[in-house]
Amino acid sequence: MGVRETRRKVLAPLRRAGLEVLDGGVPEDALPVFVAGVTVSCGKETGRRDSYVDFADFDGPRLIEQANRGWYELATSSGLFDARREFLLALPAHRYNPRVDLERTFVWRRVRLLDDWDVMGAACAVRRGRSVLGFDECLLGSRAGRPEFCMLSLDSTVVLLGTTWQHGIGSLTVPDPGSTQAVRRYLDGVAGDPDASPENRAAALAWLRREATSTARPAQL
């Protein structure tokens, strides 16, 4: 997809939804994007917090309004945003392509939350295209009010997921995701998996080495 098409089909609609995608600015040492979603399996003992809206309690605009409220409370209280309300958002590395579609490759993009935003509604409704399996899908979920997205603070100390459950939708946040057992176990598995992509193996190894170095470094007096 060319620059103009990317601007028209991805950047412009996300900006209208209140998420301004910025050029560059993604930290090299960010938690690997492919592992962020693993935190959905983290328990309360990790510091996980949830916001949930039941389909039976709200519908249409009220459902999205309540879900947006919960997402924003978690984002602000957990420290997802920096001083300029910037953070990382997982976006597809490509639009649908028969050669790479099933890999669902995502990359971190630096974004800024604008004053007028609708993350659970308009942002989740931005179409990605029709997959090779024949399904219409969106960049941050399947449609408005049906989120599936990953967000990360710039320093990788907070991950925030939006997800759709059987009976409702919600957000969850986990502090220090890279130190959780679920993430470390997954990264260990990828690092030692000869069938994993070279890019993912390299990213997993780099993160684990940084963490090992950080843990071994003596505390400053």
Coordinates of all heavy atoms in Angstrom, one line a residue, residues 54 85 90 94 100 112 122 124 177 181 195 201 208:
D54 N -21.3 -5.1 30.0 CA -22.1 -6.3 29.6 C -23.0 -5.9 28.5 O -23.7 -4.8 28.6 CB -22.9 -6.9 30.8 CG -23.3 -8.3 30.5 OD1 -24.2 -8.5 29.6 OD2 -22.9 -9.2 31.2
R85 N 0.2 12.7 26.0 CA -0.8 11.7 25.7 C -0.4 10.8 24.5 O -1.2 10.4 23.7 CB -2.2 12.3 25.5 CG -2.8 13.0 26.7 CD -4.3 13.0 26.8 NE -4.9 13.7 25.6 CZ -6.2 13.9 25.5 NH1 -7.0 13.4 26.4 NH2 -6.7 14.5 24.4
A90 N -0.6 -1.2 18.4 CA -0.3 -2.2 17.5 C -1.2 -2.1 16.2 O -2.4 -2.1 16.4 CB -0.5 -3.6 18.1
H94 N 0.7 -4.4 7.2 CA 0.2 -4.4 5.8 C -1.3 -4.5 5.8 O -1.9 -5.0 6.8 CB 0.9 -5.6 5.0 CG 0.6 -6.9 5.7 ND1 -0.6 -7.6 5.6 CD2 1.4 -7.6 6.5 CE1 -0.5 -8.7 6.3 NE2 0.6 -8.8 6.9
V100 N 0.8 -13.1 2.9 CA 1.1 -12.9 4.3 C -0.1 -12.7 5.2 O 0.1 -12.6 6.4 CB 2.0 -11.6 4.4 CG1 3.4 -11.8 3.8 CG2 1.3 -10.4 3.8
R112 N -0.9 9.6 19.2 CA -1.2 10.6 20.2 C -2.8 10.6 20.3 O -3.5 10.7 19.3 CB -0.7 12.0 19.8 CG -1.1 13.1 20.8 CD -0.7 14.5 20.3 NE 0.7 14.6 20.2 CZ 1.4 14.9 19.0 NH1 0.7 15.1 17.9 NH2 2.7 14.9 19.0
A122 N -15.6 4.6 16.8 CA -15.1 4.9 15.4 C -13.7 4.3 15.1 O -13.5 3.8 14.0 CB -15.0 6.4 15.3
C124 N -12.5 1.5 16.3 CA -12.6 0.0 16.1 C -13.4 -0.3 14.8 O -13.4 -1.4 14.3 CB -13.4 -0.6 17.2 SG -12.4 -0.7 18.7
P177 N 4.5 -5.6 32.1 CA 4.2 -6.8 31.4 C 5.4 -7.7 31.1 O 5.2 -9.0 31.1 CB 3.5 -6.4 30.1 CG 4.0 -5.0 29.9 CD 4.2 -4.4 31.2
Q181 N 5.1 -13.8 34.4 CA 5.4 -15.2 34.1 C 4.9 -15.5 32.7 O 5.6 -16.2 31.9 CB 4.9 -16.1 35.1 CG 5.3 -17.6 34.9 CD 4.8 -18.5 36.0 OE1 3.8 -18.2 36.6 NE2 5.5 -19.5 36.3
D195 N 11.1 -22.9 14.4 CA 10.0 -22.7 13.4 C 9.5 -21.2 13.5 O 8.7 -20.8 12.7 CB 8.9 -23.6 13.6 CG 9.3 -25.1 13.3 OD1 10.1 -25.2 12.4 OD2 8.7 -26.0 13.9
R201 N 12.2 -14.3 16.7 CA 13.2 -14.9 17.5 C 14.2 -13.9 17.9 O 14.6 -13.9 19.1 CB 13.9 -16.1 16.7 CG 13.1 -17.3 16.5 CD 13.9 -18.5 16.0 NE 14.9 -18.9 17.0 CZ 15.9 -19.7 16.7 NH1 16.1 -20.1 15.4 NH2 16.8 -20.1 17.6
L208 N 15.0 -10.7 26.2 CA 15.4 -11.5 27.3 C 16.8 -11.1 27.7 O 17.1 -11.1 28.9 CB 15.3 -13.0 26.9 CG 13.9 -13.5 26.7 CD1 14.0 -14.9 26.1 CD2 13.1 -13.6 28.0

